[in-house]
Amino acid sequence: MKRTIRKCFFLILSSPLFISDAYTQSDGKIRGKVTDTASKPIAYTAVSLLNADSTVVKGSLTTENGEFTFLNIPYGKYLIVVEAMGYKKSISGPVAIIGANKDHLIESRLFLADALQLNTVSITARKPLLERKSDKVILNVANSILAAGNSALDILSRAPGVMVDNEGNISLKGKRGVSIMLNGKLTHLSTEQLTALLRSTTGNSIESIEMMSNPSAKYDASGSAGIINIKLKKNQGDGTNGTITTGGGYGKYYKYSGGLMLNHRVNKVNVFGEYNYSENKDFQDLNVNRSNTAGAEQTFFDQKGREVYLHTDNSYRAGIDYYLNDKSVLGFSMNGSFKNINIASENRTSMGSAIFTQDSSVVAINPGKSRYADQAYNLNYKIAIDTVGQELNADIDYAHFYSNNKTVYNNYFYSTSGNLLKAPLIYRNATPSNVKILVGKVDYTIPLASKLKLEMGVKGSYVRTDNDFQFENLDNNTWNNDTSRSNKFIYKEQVSAAYANIHKEYKSTTIQVGLRAEFTHSEGNSLTTRSVVKRNYLDLFPSIFINQTLSPNHEIGVSYSKRIDRPDYQSLNPFLYFSDLYTYNQGNPLLNPQYTNSFEFSYGYKKIVDATIGYSATRDVITTTLLTDSVKKTLLIKDQNLASENILNLNVSAPLTIAKWWNTTNEVTLYHTNYSTPELMGVPFKSSKLTWLANITQSFQLNPTLNAELTASYQSAQIYGTYKVRPIYGIDLGLSKSFVDNKMNLKFAATDIFNQRKANISSVIVQQDYKVYQKSETRVFRLTFTYNFGSKLIKAVRERAKGSSAEQNRVKSGN
């Protein structure tokens, strides 16, 4: 929970005598007590002491008995201001500290009258769907109708400037290498495991999504494209309250979900918990047309396949915060999920010596089961050392992730007449994986002078992954282990980091300069092949941010940061993982981290129009490549380091109010991408492309309880490494109706209503000839019902950012 102490500004007439006396030291004291209209003490409420120039001299929180004390107050006149969310502001004074009159007891009680009960007062103010701040863009998911019933991955794919491909890879403003955080904590998961985690996180539990393209040195240096932080909801009521959510949907197949969120807050203790369940059946079509040339022989492949998935997702969160006193709080939280996927896959590959002819075919029936489970614990402590902003935060995190994918591959060979050509080839594999993460961090903030602040901290992380790839062939109705394709791979990584960040505000200029150092020790050990890869490296990551207010209507900013992307743990694993008989994935234990230098210039006009121009240069860029083997006639998917990636991007955002009932958010991003490497498949490689993205959201308030939302998105053709993707576009629609003083809400959402979102992929390498078509279930109609119950007295809630988010982000989750 985050306690927010807002400064209160007042016009106070003061004499020269008062101003000089205010800076003369004394041992003045002001004491008092805060109660409500029923004379009940109000605990842990913010109290501010203001001087003549409306500056907060001291700040404090009331004790459990509602009492507060300000000591060592200089001579002068002061106001005492009490603010709490849900109550009217209370002002007492002026109180004079002068001469012998230095000890004041506020005899009259400070009443915080007229508590805002949500069941009697209609609050219509809403956060905008899209907010822009100096260092981030915020998508307020809680205000979006289209979030209802969707997963975190679905919502993320529709966020401005964000793209998510069919494999779960996330990019921001055209750049891959995004670090994903949940409640300020890096996830340390591979792409596959992260995808499973985001699919099991329901959109109903998300408060907002923060997108930072150039994070400061305070954040982990991982994530060359920046950081996306998904903030989950916490019930903000005092007393006991909760939210029940249930819903269903249908596209090609059914889906439904339900969840319960509870919060109990009283005096020093806040306890919260949440559980969500969903069941979702969907599909993905995958068609591949390609040709293979080996000398004078040419073979054409026409592959058509469909996979049907049945997902069952369970996720939960629970925690407790205990306020030790008015300055410190101790918290513990845990969260986890477990997910099962049943897969029915059928694939037919036709082969011929000429296009559109068939000499033979292979029918593959590949049933599979996947299981993902994760559990994370966080212990945290926060203390406000003084009233001027000195603060210490400490976290310890432990997380464990488990996954296992089991697939049986049944390959049947047919002639053009439909007769079996030979005995079926049947094999199976299992990929159990365990990831353990331990992280500790300490952050310290101290004001050095007026409007000058220093932040510094240290962090240490240890990650161990254990992957056991088991490959078996069926011979004479007996499963036999294939030692040439089985492998056990263990990866260990330790990262030690320290940072310092200094922030200075001038009259119209803000400057922030930071430096982060990270030492990495890693060891990848393939026990089967007795191959070990060890690395030790120290990196420095500087950052600088300068914002300048030119006038009330014009503001500019410049920023620079250096960042790193380490390979995710699964990509380092040298396993061969078959998609079918002719297509497979392979890890690369020799992958190096990639480094990115990013520059950005921003301009804002009247807080309405925002524009940014950015440039990033990445070396040793980790890229997914599709490589053909003309001898084996196979297609290999493998991550490799290309020499460089350079991206130039322009982003313009302009939210507009067309009428009182009609608002629109408009965002356009253009980026030019250039890849190059001296050797790929035996020849130099270069590729480049100009791409643009457009996202337009129309919000309509048809009446006080009925809202509508229409979103259109378009992504032009783009390239990524060795392949290019044709345009992707779609339109979403949503309606929301509230009942019973906003306690109940019914939302209808339709995604991709014209069923147009699909991927058409082809190679940019001249020697390769393939075309890939991917289409998943994107057109879905959902109905979601929400009921809020219990006490609705608003009170600020403490939020917590764990330390293990970066490590969890590199564990792959299910697709």
Side-chain angles (χ1 to χ4, degrees):
M1 287 168 234
K2 183 186 293 179
R3 291 194 179 277
T4 305
I5 302 178
R6 298 182 179 176
K7 293 184 179 179
C8 308
F9 297 93
F10 305 94
L11 296 176
I12 303 176
L13 296 176
S14 57
S15 65
L17 174 63
F18 168 77
I19 296 174
S20 61
D21 284 348
Y23 294 93
T24 303
Q25 292 296 317
S26 82
D27 56 352
K29 179 193 297 184
I30 296 177
R31 296 170 290 153
K33 187 173 183 177
V34 179
T35 63
D36 62 13
T37 52
S39 298
K40 180 181 177 181
I42 301 179
Y44 313 113
T45 298
V47 184
S48 300
L49 187 69
L50 274 67
N51 63 14
D53 61 357
S54 301
T55 301
V56 177
V57 179
K58 290 177 178 289
S60 181
L61 294 176
T62 59
T63 65
E64 187 175 357
N65 297 321
E67 298 172 348
F68 65 91
T69 302
F70 293 115
L71 301 173
N72 302 319
I73 304 174
Y75 288 140
K77 294 182 180 180
Y78 299 92
L79 291 177
I80 298 93
V81 180
V82 181
E83 282 190 292
M85 291 186 66
Y87 295 90
K88 288 184 177 180
K89 179 166 57 181
S90 178
I91 306 170
S92 180
V95 177
I97 303 293
I98 188 168
N101 190 21
K102 297 187 293 185
D103 189 351
H104 292 267
L105 175 64
I106 308 301
E107 300 290 347
S108 58
R109 298 192 188 108
L110 301 180
F111 289 97
L112 299 179
D114 300 327
L116 296 179
Q117 296 289 338
L118 296 186
N119 58 348
T120 59
V121 179
S122 176
I123 298 177
T124 58
R126 299 175 62 198
K127 289 183 179 180
L129 182 63
L130 197 67
E131 286 186 279
R132 285 192 171 271
K133 297 190 176 182
S134 60
D135 60 341
K136 69 185 73 171
V137 177
I138 302 173
L139 180 67
N140 290 305
V141 176
N143 294 335
S144 174
I145 303 169
L146 296 174
N150 283 297
S151 70
L153 191 67
D154 296 326
I155 296 168
L156 199 57
S157 67
R158 291 162 177 78
V162 177
M163 292 183 297
V164 181
D165 67 16
N166 286 345
E167 302 301 324
N169 296 297
I170 300 169
S171 60
L172 179 62
K173 295 182 180 179
K175 296 188 292 182
R176 294 203 181 186
V178 179
S179 287
I180 302 297
M181 303 175 79
L182 288 177
N183 281 341
K185 304 165 184 64
L186 284 170
T187 50
H188 299 285
L189 300 175
S190 67
T191 305
E192 182 189 355
Q193 289 165 324
L194 177 62
T195 303
L197 180 62
L198 294 178
R199 285 192 186 277
S200 62
T201 303
T202 65
N204 303 314
S205 66
I206 298 175
E207 179 68 28
S208 62
I209 295 176
E210 299 175 339
M211 293 160 280
M212 295 171 275
S213 56
N214 251 4
S216 71
K218 182 177 181 178
Y219 295 94
D220 286 76
S222 59
S224 60
I227 292 173
I228 294 177
N229 181 29
I230 301 174
K231 297 177 70 175
L232 302 179
K233 291 179 182 176
K234 260 192 183 179
N235 211 321
Q236 298 190 352
D238 213 6
T240 302
N241 45 59
T243 301
I244 297 174
T245 304
T246 184
Y250 190 82
K252 173 72 174 178
Y253 302 103
Y254 67 89
K255 45 218 79 206
Y256 57 86
S257 61
L260 172 66
M261 181 187 298
L262 291 173
N263 185 81
H264 178 71
R265 180 168 182 166
V266 59
N267 296 329
K268 291 185 176 183
V269 180
N270 183 75
V271 181
F272 59 91
E274 178 183 4
Y275 171 75
N276 291 284
Y277 173 83
S278 67
E279 186 167 312
N280 179 16
K281 189 175 184 180
D282 60 11
F283 74 92
Q284 177 173 280
D285 288 335
L286 176 64
N287 300 337
V288 181
N289 290 284
R290 64 185 181 91
S291 64
N292 183 83
T293 302
E297 181 185 357
Q298 194 170 23
T299 306
F300 293 86
F301 294 82
D302 181 11
Q303 174 184 322
K304 290 181 172 58
R306 167 169 287 195
E307 292 186 335
V308 178
Y309 307 91
L310 177 59
H311 309 257
T312 55
D313 301 309
N314 299 265
S315 63
Y316 51 92
R317 288 190 298 147
I320 182 171
D321 291 313
Y322 180 72
Y323 293 84
L324 303 172
N325 51 48
D326 59 350
K327 292 184 178 180
S328 58
V329 58
L330 181 67
F332 173 78
S333 65
M334 60 176 288
N335 63 273
S337 67
F338 50 96
K339 176 187 184 79
N340 292 298
I341 308 175
N342 289 321
I343 307 169
S345 173
E346 184 169 342
N347 186 307
R348 175 180 290 271
T349 302
S350 300
M351 295 161 286
S353 56
I355 193 169
F356 303 126
T357 63
Q358 176 182 322
D359 300 330
S360 62
S361 63
V362 180
V363 175
I365 300 174
N366 307 329
K369 291 184 178 182
S370 298
R371 176 174 172 79
Y372 301 87
D374 62 89
Q375 184 72 60
Y377 305 89
N378 169 257
L379 180 66
N380 58 79
Y381 174 72
K382 176 181 178 181
I383 180 171
I385 300 173
D386 56 28
T387 59
V388 296
Q390 190 175 186
E391 186 176 278
L392 181 73
N393 290 269
D395 285 84
I396 297 176
D397 293 272
Y398 174 76
H400 177 223
F401 294 85
Y402 171 80
S403 64
N404 193 4
N405 302 301
K406 297 180 179 180
T407 307
V408 180
Y409 299 87
N410 301 279
N411 298 283
Y412 302 93
F413 304 90
Y414 295 94
S415 65
T416 54
S417 60
N419 297 319
L420 280 172
L421 291 174
K422 58 181 179 179
L425 175 62
I426 300 175
Y427 53 89
R428 68 183 184 186
N429 60 32
T431 60
S433 174
N434 283 280
V435 181
K436 296 180 179 179
I437 301 169
L438 180 64
V439 177
K441 76 181 184 81
V442 177
D443 297 297
Y444 175 65
T445 301
I446 180 171
L448 301 177
S450 176
K451 298 183 179 180
L452 178 64
K453 179 177 67 174
L454 173 66
E455 297 175 312
M456 50 188 175
V458 293
K459 176 182 176 180
S461 66
Y462 173 76
V463 179
R464 186 182 190 276
T465 72
D466 188 336
N467 304 274
D468 189 9
F469 189 87
Q470 303 160 5
F471 192 101
E472 296 179 328
N473 296 306
L474 183 63
D475 298 319
N476 298 319
N477 295 321
T478 302
W479 290 106
N480 298 309
N481 182 43
D482 188 338
T483 57
S484 66
R485 293 179 175 178
S486 298
N487 188 24
K488 188 175 179 64
F489 179 75
I490 295 176
Y491 179 80
K492 301 176 184 178
E493 181 183 275
Q494 293 173 274
V495 179
S496 303
Y499 76 90
N501 213 39
I502 192 161
H503 182 94
K504 173 65 176 175
E505 292 184 18
Y506 297 93
K507 183 177 180 180
S508 58
T509 307
T510 301
I511 299 176
Q512 180 174 287
V513 179
L515 180 66
R516 186 179 185 91
E518 293 189 354
F519 177 76
T520 305
H521 169 74
S522 65
E523 179 181 308
N525 184 4
S526 176
L527 301 182
T528 306
T529 61
R530 298 181 181 179
S531 166
V532 179
V533 178
K534 292 184 179 181
R535 289 195 176 96
N536 294 282
Y537 49 94
L538 173 67
D539 294 302
L540 299 178
F541 302 96
S543 63
I544 183 169
F545 303 82
I546 302 174
N547 288 315
Q548 178 73 40
T549 300
L550 304 176
S551 71
N553 295 335
H554 302 274
E555 184 177 341
I556 61 173
V558 293
S559 64
Y560 161 78
S561 68
K562 179 184 176 183
R563 302 190 64 77
I564 186 175
D565 278 298
R566 300 176 181 89
D568 69 53
Y569 312 123
Q570 296 296 84
S571 296
L572 295 167
N573 193 339
F575 296 164
L576 274 177
Y577 187 87
F578 286 81
S579 297
D580 57 61
L581 198 58
Y582 295 96
T583 311
Y584 53 89
N585 297 267
Q586 185 177 28
N588 183 359
L590 300 179
L591 277 176
N592 292 312
Q594 66 179 33
Y595 294 88
T596 301
N597 290 281
S598 296
F599 305 83
E600 190 169 272
F601 172 82
S602 63
Y603 168 75
Y605 174 68
K606 286 186 175 181
K607 305 294 183 182
I608 298 175
V609 177
D610 291 281
T612 61
I613 298 176
Y615 172 77
S616 66
T618 303
R619 61 179 173 87
D620 292 330
V621 57
I622 300 171
T623 308
T624 300
T625 58
L626 280 70
L627 306 175
T628 53
D629 186 325
S630 59
V631 177
K632 297 180 181 179
K633 301 181 180 180
T634 56
L635 187 63
L636 171 65
I637 303 169
K638 185 176 184 178
D639 284 348
Q640 296 193 77
N641 289 111
L642 300 185
S644 66
E645 174 196 61
N646 297 286
I647 297 178
L648 180 66
N649 67 71
L650 169 66
N651 177 269
V652 179
S653 174
L656 300 173
T657 299
I658 299 173
K660 288 184 178 181
W661 53 274
W662 184 4
N663 292 288
T664 176
T665 302
N666 310 284
E667 179 145 358
V668 176
T669 302
L670 288 85
Y671 59 89
H672 184 271
T673 308
N674 184 283
Y675 292 92
S676 67
T677 197
E679 190 276 326
L680 184 66
M681 295 182 65
V683 295
F685 171 77
K686 286 186 177 182
S687 64
S688 62
K689 183 70 177 178
L690 177 65
T691 303
W692 62 277
L693 311 173
N695 190 288
I696 300 173
T697 299
Q698 309 286 336
S699 300
F700 309 93
Q701 186 167 9
L702 306 179
N703 63 47
T705 62
L706 182 63
N707 297 280
E709 194 171 292
L710 180 69
T711 297
S713 61
Y714 183 88
Q715 170 194 310
S716 72
Q718 66 161 338
I719 61 165
Y720 178 66
T722 64
Y723 60 85
K724 57 186 176 183
V725 184
R726 293 176 60 184
I728 300 174
Y729 46 89
I731 295 177
D732 307 321
L733 173 67
L735 291 170
S736 174
K737 174 67 177 177
S738 297
F739 308 89
V740 194
D741 294 327
N742 293 322
K743 288 184 178 180
M744 298 182 181
N745 180 269
L746 189 65
K747 292 178 180 175
F748 169 78
T751 56
D752 194 15
I753 56 179
F754 296 110
N755 203 28
Q756 291 298 308
R757 290 191 176 105
K758 53 184 176 291
N760 288 281
I761 302 168
S762 57
S763 178
V764 296
I765 299 177
V766 177
Q767 304 96 305
Q768 290 184 330
D769 175 28
Y770 65 76
K771 290 181 175 60
V772 179
Y773 168 86
Q774 288 179 306
K775 179 73 176 83
S776 56
E777 187 185 41
T778 56
R779 180 166 61 185
V780 178
F781 303 92
R782 289 183 171 91
L783 195 63
T784 303
F785 173 77
T786 303
Y787 173 62
N788 300 303
F789 60 90
S791 171
K792 296 298 175 186
L793 185 62
I794 301 176
K795 192 167 184 178
V797 184
R798 176 175 172 262
E799 291 183 353
R800 192 68 195 170
K802 292 189 295 189
S804 61
S805 306
E807 289 76 22
Q808 296 180 36
N809 195 38
R810 292 164 59 206
V811 186
K812 288 191 174 178
S813 19
N815 194 352

